[in-house]
Amino acid sequence: MRLLVITLFFFSFAFESLGWGKTGHRTVGQIAELHLTEKAKQKLNLLLNAESLAMVSNWMDEIKSDSTYDHTHDWHWVTIPDGESYANCAKNPHGDIIMTIERLISELKKGGLSKSQEAEHVKMLVHLVGDIHQPLHVGGKDDQGGNKVMVQWFGEKSNLHRVWDSNMIDGQLLSYTEWTQWLMPLDSLQVKKWQQSTVLDWAEESRSYLPLAYTLPENMRLGHEYSYTAVPVIRMRLSQAGVRLAAILNEIYG
């Protein structure tokens, strides 16, 4: 019984720290795959041993149980206090999602990595580009990105971060391929506009949705009304993450 309790504790902790959940991340990877050039697709296929971007998209969450990667835990998020800018706020000495994405892109462009190092960089990039488009991964409050904000989701205990990561996505009862079909095709002019933005722009966009995310009823019971306003944002953020990830990979490999 004690072993079961310990196991459930660690499972719960790991679940709450995910970004977009498995379905969301795989959707981002699948959308990116559909926007790759043939040259980039072939190079990534060799680098990732024929695993798709969708299949490697959750690798960075899966390695959290490996102490070798403990140093990567803070790379999934950034806190920019309300009223401050990223340029002026205190930086996490262990790194954050903005500086990590920029570093990974720079090191991939520079080259000189071993195949295993390069593959890990790509897997991290796939995951973190997804994470930065989830508004609560760019938080402004001392609540662990909404993990400390306890809510009920259609009568079940949850927290605000989990609602955005997975509750609203999984609540649609769609696989990641069905989510991709729902979001595609995307307008080519809109895709081009999205791809012209910077990593800092992505973070600022996520911050702009925090007021919506934190507009909560007094009883903290969330359901159809909350989902009605939030799911369209999620759809857009998944689409933006996918096409922006593709643009980065095309620039590096295409």
Side-chain angles (χ1 to χ4, degrees):
M1 176 61 72
R2 182 183 178 191
L3 179 59
L4 176 61
V5 171
I6 293 173
T7 301
L8 288 174
F9 171 80
F10 280 105
F11 177 80
S12 175
F13 177 83
F15 180 81
E16 291 190 11
S17 64
L18 301 179
W20 281 136
K22 291 184 181 297
T23 302
H25 276 295
R26 287 173 181 160
T27 302
V28 170
Q30 182 76 359
I31 291 172
E33 193 101 23
L34 295 173
H35 289 83
L36 292 176
T37 65
E38 283 303 314
K39 184 178 179 181
K41 193 177 298 184
Q42 290 172 10
K43 289 185 177 180
L44 287 165
N45 190 54
L46 289 173
L47 178 65
L48 300 174
N49 297 319
E51 285 194 279
S52 69
L53 298 183
M55 288 300 97
V56 303
S57 64
N58 288 291
W59 176 83
M60 200 174 178
D61 277 336
E62 293 162 358
I63 60 170
K64 287 179 178 178
S65 60
D66 183 344
S67 61
T68 306
Y69 294 94
D70 281 351
H71 63 286
T72 69
H73 290 183
D74 287 351
W75 297 357
H76 294 255
W77 53 275
V78 64
T79 297
I80 306 173
D82 294 341
E84 296 187 31
S85 68
Y86 179 71
N88 297 325
C89 73
K91 304 298 187 294
N92 187 333
H94 303 294
D96 62 46
I97 194 168
I98 294 173
M99 66 176 74
T100 302
I101 291 175
E102 291 178 339
R103 175 179 59 79
L104 291 171
I105 294 172
S106 176
E107 291 176 359
L108 283 167
K109 287 181 176 180
K110 183 178 180 181
L113 301 169
S114 67
K115 181 180 179 181
S116 62
Q117 289 174 326
E118 186 176 357
E120 286 197 1
H121 273 47
V122 169
K123 291 176 185 178
M124 288 182 179
L125 187 62
V126 172
H127 186 86
L128 294 180
V129 171
D131 273 355
I132 200 171
H133 283 80
Q134 204 274 57
L136 290 166
H137 277 258
V138 189
K141 305 179 185 298
D142 186 22
D143 62 5
Q144 294 181 1
N147 272 297
K148 291 183 177 181
V149 181
M150 298 298 111
V151 299
Q152 287 194 27
W153 178 251
F154 286 95
E156 299 291 331
K157 290 183 179 179
S158 189
N159 63 65
L160 189 60
H161 194 98
R162 189 190 301 174
V163 166
W164 280 79
D165 270 359
S166 54
N167 287 153
M168 286 192 285
I169 292 176
D170 294 340
Q172 300 297 319
L173 300 180
L174 300 174
S175 67
Y176 78 89
T177 55
E178 290 171 324
W179 261 95
T180 302
Q181 290 171 359
W182 189 22
L183 300 176
M184 295 290 289
L186 297 170
D187 179 81
S188 59
L189 292 178
Q190 183 64 77
V191 167
K192 185 176 181 180
K193 183 178 179 180
W194 283 345
Q195 291 178 333
Q196 292 172 342
S197 56
T198 68
V199 178
L200 191 56
D201 290 334
W202 309 345
E204 288 300 320
E205 288 169 356
S206 281
R207 290 183 79 192
S208 74
Y209 295 114
L210 291 177
L212 182 153
Y214 282 91
T215 301
L216 305 170
E218 289 186 11
N219 62 11
M220 305 302 275
R221 292 176 178 268
L222 307 182
H224 289 297
E225 184 175 356
Y226 189 86
S227 179
Y228 181 77
T229 58
V231 168
V233 173
I234 289 176
R235 292 182 63 194
M236 182 173 66
R237 296 306 277 165
L238 293 174
S239 299
Q240 290 174 324
V243 300
R244 287 164 171 170
L245 173 61
I248 295 168
L249 294 173
N250 284 337
E251 185 177 357
I252 297 169
Y253 296 108

